[in-house]
């Protein structure tokens, strides 16, 4: 897809804009330490571009905004992301800075022995700023998806994030995935900037482990008090499922239907070195709490599931589905990522996913999803009730 403009007209409005760095990824040919792996296969990796690719494959209009080097790796990234149906016309080329790359081991992120070697310092994407990114193009969407990774890349990227989440007339609904990466932050004090950004968003995705590691918040109630701004907070617990906390007092996402996600009417200002204090400020009241267990999955590779979950949830949001239905779509899209090698895979067909989402709780709890489950309905196993 390309942006179609006429003289005097603004950029084409799409369903979703995803802004952030994507890198060329080198995946190991076998398990083991980076020092021992003899060869690697080239791929692409980036939280925001992963979400963009999944949503585009799911039938939504999506634009990826970033910067890459004027090099072969930059060519590969733009071509690979564009091949998924994502509009890449707003990706700038930087002749003076390289495209970022990284190497990783085969283990799950966060597991013992897992290694990641980033070569992204001074990358083209790290030079993104308020002055060199077309903000009108970024804002020409129904949903703007951002990630905490971008805030850690450079000071310019952080200021760009602050500008994009700042309250303003006509601002798109802001989706923010915390995506806490300890290696990108010096200490918990620095990572509190993620709390500032999350407070200013409309939809927040955060892992229960991330909230603990980044902010020292171990209880959902305390987390919701800290995140006083968003209209909806999704707390992810891996194989245990996810919980969506909805708040009232907001506006509906334009075009999303009567059950469209609400965005808060109140914002909290940011401080230069961290989130503004919230003493005496009561968060909007909770409207509903929804918990949906994750289906059982035979995991092929534990990478990319968080990005796929966010994409599935946002797909449901754009279609005006209920919070419970969005959570189920998130789990199903995550299950695709878990049952394939690599970060990217086409989501389940809309009809197939909707049939599973419509199952009653007992049948949903019996689902067993393995590799290939999206290709034919019969590969979805239902274990008989005891």
């Amino acid at each position: 897809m390309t942006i179609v403009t006429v003289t005097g007209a603004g950029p084409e409005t799409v369903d979703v804009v995803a802004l952030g760095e994507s890198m060329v990824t080198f995946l190991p040919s076998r398990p083991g330490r980076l020092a021992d792996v003899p060869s690697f296969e080239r791929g692409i990796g980036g939280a925001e571009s992963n979400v963009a690719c999944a949503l585009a494959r799911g039938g939504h209009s999506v634009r990826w905004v970033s910067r890459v080097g004027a090099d072969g790796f930059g060519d590969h990234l733009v071509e690979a992301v564009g091949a998924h149906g994502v509009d890449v016309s707003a990706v700038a080329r930087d002749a003076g800075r390289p495209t970022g790359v990284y190497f990783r081991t085969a283990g799950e992120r966060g597991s013992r022995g897992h290694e990641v070697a980033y070569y992204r310092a001074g990358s083209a994407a790290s030079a993104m700023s308020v002055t060199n990114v077309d903000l009108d193009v970024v804002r020409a969407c129904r949903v703007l998806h951002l990630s905490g990774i971008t805030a850690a890349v450079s000071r310019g990227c952080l200021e760009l994030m602050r500008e994009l989440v700042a309250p303003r007339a006509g601002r798109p609904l802001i989706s923010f995935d915390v995506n806490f990466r300890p290696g990108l932050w010096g200490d918990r004090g620095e990572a509190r900037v993620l709390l500032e950004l999350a407070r200013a968003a409309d939809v927040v995705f955060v892992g229960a482990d991330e909230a603990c590691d980044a902010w020292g918040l171990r209880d959902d109630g305390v987390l919701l008090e800290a995140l006083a701004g968003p209209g909806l907070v999704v707390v992810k617990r891996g194989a245990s499922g996810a919980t969506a906390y909805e708040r009232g007092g907001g506006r509906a996402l334009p075009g999303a239907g009567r059950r469209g996600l609400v965005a808060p009417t109140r914002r909290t200002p940011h401080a230069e070195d961290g989130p503004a204090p919230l003493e005496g400020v009561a968060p909007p009241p909770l409207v509903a709490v929804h918990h949906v267990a994750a289906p059982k999955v035979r995991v092929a590779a534990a990478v990319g599931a968080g990005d796929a979950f966010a994409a599935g949830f946002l797909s449901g949001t754009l279609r005006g589905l209920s919070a419970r239905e969005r959570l189920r779509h998130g789990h199903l899209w995550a299950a695709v990522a878990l049952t394939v090698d690599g970060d990217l895979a086409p989501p389940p067909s809309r009809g197939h996913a909707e049939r599973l989402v419509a199952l009653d709780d007992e049948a949903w709890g019996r689902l067993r999803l393995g590799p290939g489950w999206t290709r034919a309905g019969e590969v979805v196993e239902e274990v008989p009730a005891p």
Side-chain angles (χ1 to χ4, degrees), residues 327-378:
L327 287 169
R328 285 195 172 189
H329 277 285
H331 285 316
L332 291 174
W333 287 39
V336 178
L338 290 170
T339 53
V340 300
D341 293 321
D343 291 11
L344 294 173
S349 70
R350 187 167 295 183
H352 189 183
E354 287 176 348
R355 287 192 293 273
L356 298 182
V357 167
L359 293 173
D360 61 35
D361 289 343
E362 183 179 358
W364 175 266
R366 295 199 303 268
L367 284 182
R368 301 293 186 271
L369 306 178
W373 72 269
T374 60
R375 292 194 295 270
E378 60 267 20

CSV table of all heavy atoms in Angstrom, one decimal, residues 327-378:
chain,number,residue,atom,x,y,z
A,327,LEU,N,-9.3,-9.7,24.2
A,327,LEU,CA,-8.4,-10.5,25.0
A,327,LEU,C,-8.2,-11.9,24.3
A,327,LEU,O,-7.1,-12.4,24.1
A,327,LEU,CB,-8.8,-10.7,26.4
A,327,LEU,CG,-8.6,-9.5,27.3
A,327,LEU,CD1,-9.3,-9.7,28.7
A,327,LEU,CD2,-7.1,-9.2,27.5
A,328,ARG,N,-9.3,-12.5,23.9
A,328,ARG,CA,-9.3,-13.8,23.2
A,328,ARG,C,-8.5,-13.7,21.9
A,328,ARG,O,-7.7,-14.6,21.5
A,328,ARG,CB,-10.7,-14.4,23.1
A,328,ARG,CG,-11.3,-14.9,24.4
A,328,ARG,CD,-12.5,-15.8,24.1
A,328,ARG,NE,-12.9,-16.5,25.3
A,328,ARG,CZ,-13.8,-17.4,25.4
A,328,ARG,NH1,-14.4,-17.8,24.2
A,328,ARG,NH2,-14.2,-18.0,26.5
A,329,HIS,N,-8.8,-12.6,21.1
A,329,HIS,CA,-8.1,-12.5,19.9
A,329,HIS,C,-6.6,-12.3,20.1
A,329,HIS,O,-5.8,-12.8,19.4
A,329,HIS,CB,-8.7,-11.3,19.1
A,329,HIS,CG,-9.9,-11.6,18.3
A,329,HIS,ND1,-9.8,-12.3,17.1
A,329,HIS,CD2,-11.2,-11.3,18.5
A,329,HIS,CE1,-11.0,-12.4,16.6
A,329,HIS,NE2,-11.9,-11.8,17.4
A,330,GLY,N,-6.3,-11.5,21.2
A,330,GLY,CA,-4.9,-11.4,21.5
A,330,GLY,C,-4.2,-12.7,21.8
A,330,GLY,O,-3.1,-13.0,21.3
A,331,HIS,N,-4.9,-13.5,22.6
A,331,HIS,CA,-4.3,-14.9,22.9
A,331,HIS,C,-4.1,-15.7,21.6
A,331,HIS,O,-3.1,-16.4,21.5
A,331,HIS,CB,-5.2,-15.6,23.9
A,331,HIS,CG,-5.1,-15.1,25.3
A,331,HIS,ND1,-3.9,-14.8,25.9
A,331,HIS,CD2,-6.1,-14.8,26.2
A,331,HIS,CE1,-4.1,-14.4,27.2
A,331,HIS,NE2,-5.4,-14.4,27.4
A,332,LEU,N,-5.1,-15.7,20.7
A,332,LEU,CA,-5.0,-16.5,19.5
A,332,LEU,C,-3.9,-16.0,18.6
A,332,LEU,O,-3.1,-16.8,18.1
A,332,LEU,CB,-6.4,-16.5,18.8
A,332,LEU,CG,-7.5,-17.2,19.5
A,332,LEU,CD1,-8.8,-17.0,18.7
A,332,LEU,CD2,-7.2,-18.7,19.6
A,333,TRP,N,-3.8,-14.7,18.5
A,333,TRP,CA,-2.7,-14.2,17.6
A,333,TRP,C,-1.3,-14.5,18.3
A,333,TRP,O,-0.4,-14.8,17.6
A,333,TRP,CB,-2.8,-12.7,17.4
A,333,TRP,CG,-3.9,-12.3,16.5
A,333,TRP,CD1,-5.2,-12.9,16.4
A,333,TRP,CD2,-3.9,-11.2,15.5
A,333,TRP,NE1,-5.9,-12.2,15.4
A,333,TRP,CE2,-5.2,-11.2,14.9
A,333,TRP,CE3,-3.0,-10.3,15.1
A,333,TRP,CZ2,-5.5,-10.3,13.9
A,333,TRP,CZ3,-3.3,-9.4,14.1
A,333,TRP,CH2,-4.5,-9.4,13.5
A,334,ALA,N,-1.2,-14.4,19.6
A,334,ALA,CA,0.0,-14.8,20.3
A,334,ALA,C,0.3,-16.3,20.1
A,334,ALA,O,1.5,-16.7,20.0
A,334,ALA,CB,-0.1,-14.5,21.8
A,335,ALA,N,-0.7,-17.1,20.1
A,335,ALA,CA,-0.5,-18.6,19.9
A,335,ALA,C,0.1,-18.9,18.5
A,335,ALA,O,0.8,-19.8,18.4
A,335,ALA,CB,-1.9,-19.3,20.0
A,336,VAL,N,-0.2,-18.0,17.5
A,336,VAL,CA,0.4,-18.2,16.2
A,336,VAL,C,1.9,-18.0,16.3
A,336,VAL,O,2.7,-18.8,15.8
A,336,VAL,CB,-0.2,-17.3,15.2
A,336,VAL,CG1,0.5,-17.5,13.8
A,336,VAL,CG2,-1.7,-17.5,15.0
A,337,ALA,N,2.3,-16.9,17.0
A,337,ALA,CA,3.7,-16.6,17.1
A,337,ALA,C,4.4,-17.7,17.9
A,337,ALA,O,5.6,-18.0,17.6
A,337,ALA,CB,3.9,-15.2,17.8
A,338,LEU,N,3.8,-18.3,18.9
A,338,LEU,CA,4.4,-19.3,19.7
A,338,LEU,C,4.6,-20.6,19.0
A,338,LEU,O,5.4,-21.4,19.4
A,338,LEU,CB,3.6,-19.5,21.0
A,338,LEU,CG,3.6,-18.3,22.0
A,338,LEU,CD1,2.5,-18.6,23.1
A,338,LEU,CD2,5.0,-18.2,22.6
A,339,THR,N,3.7,-20.8,18.0
A,339,THR,CA,3.8,-22.1,17.3
A,339,THR,C,4.5,-22.1,16.0
A,339,THR,O,4.4,-23.1,15.2
A,339,THR,CB,2.3,-22.7,17.1
A,339,THR,OG1,1.6,-21.7,16.4
A,339,THR,CG2,1.7,-23.0,18.4
A,340,VAL,N,5.3,-21.1,15.8
A,340,VAL,CA,6.1,-21.0,14.6
A,340,VAL,C,7.5,-20.6,15.0
A,340,VAL,O,7.7,-20.0,16.1
A,340,VAL,CB,5.6,-20.0,13.5
A,340,VAL,CG1,4.2,-20.4,13.0
A,340,VAL,CG2,5.6,-18.6,14.0
A,341,ASP,N,8.5,-20.8,14.2
A,341,ASP,CA,9.9,-20.3,14.4
A,341,ASP,C,10.0,-18.9,13.9
A,341,ASP,O,9.5,-18.6,12.8
A,341,ASP,CB,10.9,-21.2,13.7
A,341,ASP,CG,11.0,-22.6,14.2
A,341,ASP,OD1,10.9,-22.8,15.5
A,341,ASP,OD2,11.1,-23.5,13.4
A,342,GLY,N,10.6,-18.0,14.7
A,342,GLY,CA,10.7,-16.6,14.3
A,342,GLY,C,9.7,-15.8,14.9
A,342,GLY,O,8.7,-16.2,15.5
A,343,ASP,N,9.8,-14.4,14.6
A,343,ASP,CA,8.9,-13.5,15.3
A,343,ASP,C,7.6,-13.2,14.5
A,343,ASP,O,6.6,-12.8,15.1
A,343,ASP,CB,9.6,-12.1,15.4
A,343,ASP,CG,10.8,-12.1,16.4
A,343,ASP,OD1,11.1,-13.2,16.8
A,343,ASP,OD2,11.3,-11.0,16.7
A,344,LEU,N,7.6,-13.5,13.2
A,344,LEU,CA,6.4,-13.1,12.4
A,344,LEU,C,5.7,-14.3,11.8
A,344,LEU,O,6.4,-15.2,11.3
A,344,LEU,CB,6.9,-12.1,11.3
A,344,LEU,CG,7.4,-10.8,11.7
A,344,LEU,CD1,8.0,-10.0,10.6
A,344,LEU,CD2,6.3,-10.0,12.4
A,345,ALA,N,4.4,-14.2,11.8
A,345,ALA,CA,3.6,-15.3,11.2
A,345,ALA,C,2.2,-14.7,10.9
A,345,ALA,O,1.8,-13.8,11.6
A,345,ALA,CB,3.4,-16.5,12.1
A,346,PRO,N,1.6,-15.1,9.8
A,346,PRO,CA,0.2,-14.5,9.5
A,346,PRO,C,-0.7,-14.9,10.6
A,346,PRO,O,-0.7,-16.1,11.1
A,346,PRO,CB,-0.1,-15.2,8.2
A,346,PRO,CG,0.7,-16.4,8.1
A,346,PRO,CD,2.0,-16.0,8.8
A,347,PRO,N,-1.6,-14.0,11.0
A,347,PRO,CA,-2.6,-14.4,12.1
A,347,PRO,C,-3.6,-15.3,11.6
A,347,PRO,O,-3.7,-15.6,10.4
A,347,PRO,CB,-3.2,-13.0,12.4
A,347,PRO,CG,-3.1,-12.2,11.1
A,347,PRO,CD,-1.8,-12.6,10.6
A,348,PRO,N,-4.4,-15.9,12.4
A,348,PRO,CA,-5.5,-16.8,12.0
A,348,PRO,C,-6.5,-16.0,11.1
A,348,PRO,O,-6.6,-14.8,11.3
A,348,PRO,CB,-6.1,-17.3,13.3
A,348,PRO,CG,-5.8,-16.2,14.3
A,348,PRO,CD,-4.5,-15.7,13.9
A,349,SER,N,-7.2,-16.7,10.2
A,349,SER,CA,-8.2,-16.0,9.4
A,349,SER,C,-9.2,-15.5,10.4
A,349,SER,O,-9.5,-16.0,11.5
A,349,SER,CB,-8.8,-17.0,8.4
A,349,SER,OG,-9.6,-17.9,9.1
A,350,ARG,N,-9.9,-14.4,9.9
A,350,ARG,CA,-10.9,-13.7,10.8
A,350,ARG,C,-12.0,-14.7,11.2
A,350,ARG,O,-12.4,-14.8,12.3
A,350,ARG,CB,-11.4,-12.5,10.2
A,350,ARG,CG,-12.3,-11.6,11.1
A,350,ARG,CD,-12.5,-10.3,10.5
A,350,ARG,NE,-11.3,-9.5,10.5
A,350,ARG,CZ,-11.3,-8.2,10.1
A,350,ARG,NH1,-12.4,-7.6,9.7
A,350,ARG,NH2,-10.1,-7.6,10.1
A,351,GLY,N,-12.5,-15.5,10.2
A,351,GLY,CA,-13.5,-16.4,10.5
A,351,GLY,C,-13.2,-17.5,11.4
A,351,GLY,O,-13.9,-17.8,12.3
A,352,HIS,N,-11.9,-18.0,11.3
A,352,HIS,CA,-11.5,-19.1,12.1
A,352,HIS,C,-11.3,-18.5,13.6
A,352,HIS,O,-11.8,-19.2,14.5
A,352,HIS,CB,-10.1,-19.6,11.6
A,352,HIS,CG,-9.6,-20.8,12.3
A,352,HIS,ND1,-8.4,-21.4,12.1
A,352,HIS,CD2,-10.2,-21.6,13.3
A,352,HIS,CE1,-8.2,-22.4,12.9
A,352,HIS,NE2,-9.3,-22.6,13.6
A,353,ALA,N,-10.7,-17.4,13.7
A,353,ALA,CA,-10.5,-16.8,15.0
A,353,ALA,C,-11.9,-16.5,15.7
A,353,ALA,O,-12.1,-16.7,16.9
A,353,ALA,CB,-9.7,-15.5,14.9
A,354,GLU,N,-12.8,-16.0,14.9
A,354,GLU,CA,-14.1,-15.6,15.5
A,354,GLU,C,-14.9,-16.8,16.0
A,354,GLU,O,-15.6,-16.8,17.0
A,354,GLU,CB,-14.9,-14.8,14.5
A,354,GLU,CG,-14.4,-13.4,14.3
A,354,GLU,CD,-15.2,-12.6,13.2
A,354,GLU,OE1,-15.9,-13.3,12.5
A,354,GLU,OE2,-14.9,-11.4,13.1
A,355,ARG,N,-14.7,-18.0,15.3
A,355,ARG,CA,-15.4,-19.2,15.8
A,355,ARG,C,-14.8,-19.6,17.1
A,355,ARG,O,-15.5,-20.1,18.0
A,355,ARG,CB,-15.2,-20.3,14.8
A,355,ARG,CG,-16.0,-20.2,13.5
A,355,ARG,CD,-16.0,-21.4,12.7
A,355,ARG,NE,-14.7,-21.7,12.1
A,355,ARG,CZ,-14.3,-21.2,11.0
A,355,ARG,NH1,-15.1,-20.4,10.2
A,355,ARG,NH2,-13.1,-21.5,10.5
A,356,LEU,N,-13.5,-19.5,17.3
A,356,LEU,CA,-12.9,-19.8,18.6
A,356,LEU,C,-13.2,-18.8,19.7
A,356,LEU,O,-13.4,-19.2,20.8
A,356,LEU,CB,-11.4,-20.0,18.4
A,356,LEU,CG,-10.9,-21.1,17.4
A,356,LEU,CD1,-9.4,-21.1,17.4
A,356,LEU,CD2,-11.4,-22.4,17.8
A,357,VAL,N,-13.2,-17.6,19.3
A,357,VAL,CA,-13.5,-16.5,20.3
A,357,VAL,C,-14.9,-16.7,20.8
A,357,VAL,O,-15.2,-16.4,22.0
A,357,VAL,CB,-13.4,-15.1,19.6
A,357,VAL,CG1,-14.0,-14.0,20.5
A,357,VAL,CG2,-11.9,-14.8,19.4
A,358,ALA,N,-15.9,-17.2,20.0
A,358,ALA,CA,-17.3,-17.4,20.4
A,358,ALA,C,-17.5,-18.6,21.3
A,358,ALA,O,-18.6,-18.8,21.8
A,358,ALA,CB,-18.1,-17.5,19.1
A,359,LEU,N,-16.5,-19.4,21.5
A,359,LEU,CA,-16.7,-20.6,22.3
A,359,LEU,C,-17.1,-20.2,23.8
A,359,LEU,O,-16.7,-19.2,24.3
A,359,LEU,CB,-15.4,-21.4,22.4
A,359,LEU,CG,-14.9,-22.1,21.1
A,359,LEU,CD1,-13.5,-22.7,21.3
A,359,LEU,CD2,-15.9,-23.2,20.7
A,360,ASP,N,-17.8,-21.1,24.4
A,360,ASP,CA,-18.1,-20.8,25.8
A,360,ASP,C,-16.9,-21.1,26.7
A,360,ASP,O,-15.9,-21.6,26.2
A,360,ASP,CB,-19.3,-21.7,26.3
A,360,ASP,CG,-19.1,-23.2,26.2
A,360,ASP,OD1,-17.9,-23.6,26.4
A,360,ASP,OD2,-20.0,-23.9,25.9
A,361,ASP,N,-16.9,-20.6,27.9
A,361,ASP,CA,-15.7,-20.7,28.7
A,361,ASP,C,-15.2,-22.1,28.9
A,361,ASP,O,-13.9,-22.3,28.9
A,361,ASP,CB,-16.0,-20.1,30.1
A,361,ASP,CG,-16.2,-18.6,30.1
A,361,ASP,OD1,-15.8,-18.0,29.1
A,361,ASP,OD2,-16.7,-18.0,31.0
A,362,GLU,N,-16.1,-23.1,29.0
A,362,GLU,CA,-15.6,-24.5,29.2
A,362,GLU,C,-14.9,-25.0,27.9
A,362,GLU,O,-13.8,-25.6,28.0
A,362,GLU,CB,-16.8,-25.4,29.5
A,362,GLU,CG,-16.4,-26.8,29.7
A,362,GLU,CD,-17.6,-27.7,30.0
A,362,GLU,OE1,-18.7,-27.2,30.1
A,362,GLU,OE2,-17.4,-28.9,30.2
A,363,ALA,N,-15.4,-24.7,26.7
A,363,ALA,CA,-14.8,-25.1,25.5
A,363,ALA,C,-13.5,-24.4,25.3
A,363,ALA,O,-12.5,-25.0,24.8
A,363,ALA,CB,-15.8,-24.9,24.3
A,364,TRP,N,-13.5,-23.1,25.6
A,364,TRP,CA,-12.2,-22.3,25.5
A,364,TRP,C,-11.1,-22.9,26.3
A,364,TRP,O,-10.0,-23.0,25.9
A,364,TRP,CB,-12.5,-20.8,25.8
A,364,TRP,CG,-11.3,-20.0,25.8
A,364,TRP,CD1,-10.5,-19.7,26.9
A,364,TRP,CD2,-10.7,-19.3,24.7
A,364,TRP,NE1,-9.5,-18.8,26.6
A,364,TRP,CE2,-9.5,-18.6,25.2
A,364,TRP,CE3,-11.0,-19.2,23.4
A,364,TRP,CZ2,-8.7,-17.8,24.4
A,364,TRP,CZ3,-10.2,-18.4,22.6
A,364,TRP,CH2,-9.1,-17.7,23.1
A,365,GLY,N,-11.5,-23.3,27.5
A,365,GLY,CA,-10.5,-23.9,28.4
A,365,GLY,C,-10.0,-25.2,28.0
A,365,GLY,O,-8.9,-25.6,28.5
A,366,ARG,N,-10.6,-25.9,27.0
A,366,ARG,CA,-10.2,-27.2,26.5
A,366,ARG,C,-9.3,-27.0,25.3
A,366,ARG,O,-8.8,-28.0,24.8
A,366,ARG,CB,-11.4,-28.1,26.2
A,366,ARG,CG,-12.2,-28.5,27.5
A,366,ARG,CD,-13.0,-29.7,27.2
A,366,ARG,NE,-13.9,-29.5,26.0
A,366,ARG,CZ,-15.2,-29.1,26.1
A,366,ARG,NH1,-15.7,-28.8,27.3
A,366,ARG,NH2,-15.9,-29.0,25.0
A,367,LEU,N,-9.1,-25.8,24.8
A,367,LEU,CA,-8.4,-25.7,23.5
A,367,LEU,C,-6.9,-26.1,23.7
A,367,LEU,O,-6.3,-25.7,24.8
A,367,LEU,CB,-8.4,-24.2,23.1
A,367,LEU,CG,-9.7,-23.7,22.4
A,367,LEU,CD1,-9.5,-22.2,22.0
A,367,LEU,CD2,-10.0,-24.5,21.2
A,368,ARG,N,-6.4,-26.8,22.7
A,368,ARG,CA,-5.0,-27.1,22.7
A,368,ARG,C,-4.5,-26.7,21.3
A,368,ARG,O,-5.0,-27.3,20.3
A,368,ARG,CB,-4.7,-28.6,23.0
A,368,ARG,CG,-5.2,-29.0,24.3
A,368,ARG,CD,-4.4,-28.4,25.5
A,368,ARG,NE,-4.8,-29.0,26.8
A,368,ARG,CZ,-5.8,-28.5,27.5
A,368,ARG,NH1,-6.5,-27.5,27.1
A,368,ARG,NH2,-6.0,-29.1,28.7
A,369,LEU,N,-3.6,-25.8,21.2
A,369,LEU,CA,-3.2,-25.3,19.9
A,369,LEU,C,-1.7,-25.7,19.6
A,369,LEU,O,-0.8,-25.4,20.5
A,369,LEU,CB,-3.3,-23.7,19.8
A,369,LEU,CG,-4.7,-23.2,20.2
A,369,LEU,CD1,-4.7,-21.7,20.2
A,369,LEU,CD2,-5.7,-23.7,19.2
A,370,GLY,N,-1.5,-26.3,18.5
A,370,GLY,CA,-0.1,-26.7,18.1
A,370,GLY,C,0.3,-26.1,16.8
A,370,GLY,O,-0.5,-25.4,16.1
A,371,PRO,N,1.5,-26.4,16.4
A,371,PRO,CA,2.0,-25.9,15.1
A,371,PRO,C,1.1,-26.3,14.0
A,371,PRO,O,0.6,-27.4,13.9
A,371,PRO,CB,3.4,-26.6,14.9
A,371,PRO,CG,3.8,-26.8,16.3
A,371,PRO,CD,2.6,-27.1,17.1
A,372,GLY,N,0.8,-25.3,13.1
A,372,GLY,CA,-0.1,-25.5,12.0
A,372,GLY,C,-1.6,-25.3,12.3
A,372,GLY,O,-2.4,-25.5,11.4
A,373,TRP,N,-1.9,-24.9,13.5
A,373,TRP,CA,-3.4,-24.8,13.9
A,373,TRP,C,-4.2,-23.8,13.1
A,373,TRP,O,-5.4,-23.9,12.9
A,373,TRP,CB,-3.5,-24.5,15.4
A,373,TRP,CG,-3.2,-23.1,15.8
A,373,TRP,CD1,-2.0,-22.7,16.2
A,373,TRP,CD2,-4.1,-22.0,15.9
A,373,TRP,NE1,-2.0,-21.4,16.6
A,373,TRP,CE2,-3.3,-20.9,16.4
A,373,TRP,CE3,-5.4,-21.8,15.6
A,373,TRP,CZ2,-3.9,-19.7,16.6
A,373,TRP,CZ3,-6.0,-20.6,15.8
A,373,TRP,CH2,-5.2,-19.5,16.3
A,374,THR,N,-3.5,-22.8,12.5
A,374,THR,CA,-4.3,-21.8,11.7
A,374,THR,C,-4.6,-22.3,10.3
A,374,THR,O,-5.4,-21.6,9.7
A,374,THR,CB,-3.4,-20.5,11.6
A,374,THR,OG1,-2.2,-20.8,10.9
A,374,THR,CG2,-3.1,-19.9,13.0
A,375,ARG,N,-4.0,-23.4,9.9
A,375,ARG,CA,-4.2,-23.8,8.5
A,375,ARG,C,-5.5,-24.6,8.3
A,375,ARG,O,-6.0,-24.7,7.2
A,375,ARG,CB,-3.0,-24.6,8.0
A,375,ARG,CG,-1.8,-23.8,7.8
A,375,ARG,CD,-0.7,-24.5,7.0
A,375,ARG,NE,-0.2,-25.7,7.7
A,375,ARG,CZ,0.8,-25.7,8.5
A,375,ARG,NH1,1.5,-24.6,8.8
A,375,ARG,NH2,1.2,-26.8,9.1
A,376,ALA,N,-6.0,-25.2,9.3
A,376,ALA,CA,-7.2,-26.0,9.2
A,376,ALA,C,-7.8,-26.2,10.6
A,376,ALA,O,-7.1,-26.4,11.6
A,376,ALA,CB,-6.9,-27.4,8.7
A,377,GLY,N,-9.1,-26.1,10.6
A,377,GLY,CA,-9.8,-26.2,11.9
A,377,GLY,C,-9.6,-27.4,12.7
A,377,GLY,O,-9.6,-27.5,13.9
A,378,GLU,N,-9.3,-28.6,12.0
A,378,GLU,CA,-9.2,-29.8,12.7
A,378,GLU,C,-7.9,-30.0,13.5
A,378,GLU,O,-7.8,-30.9,14.3
A,378,GLU,CB,-9.3,-31.0,11.7
A,378,GLU,CG,-8.2,-31.0,10.6
A,378,GLU,CD,-8.7,-30.3,9.3
A,378,GLU,OE1,-9.6,-29.5,9.4
A,378,GLU,OE2,-8.1,-30.5,8.3
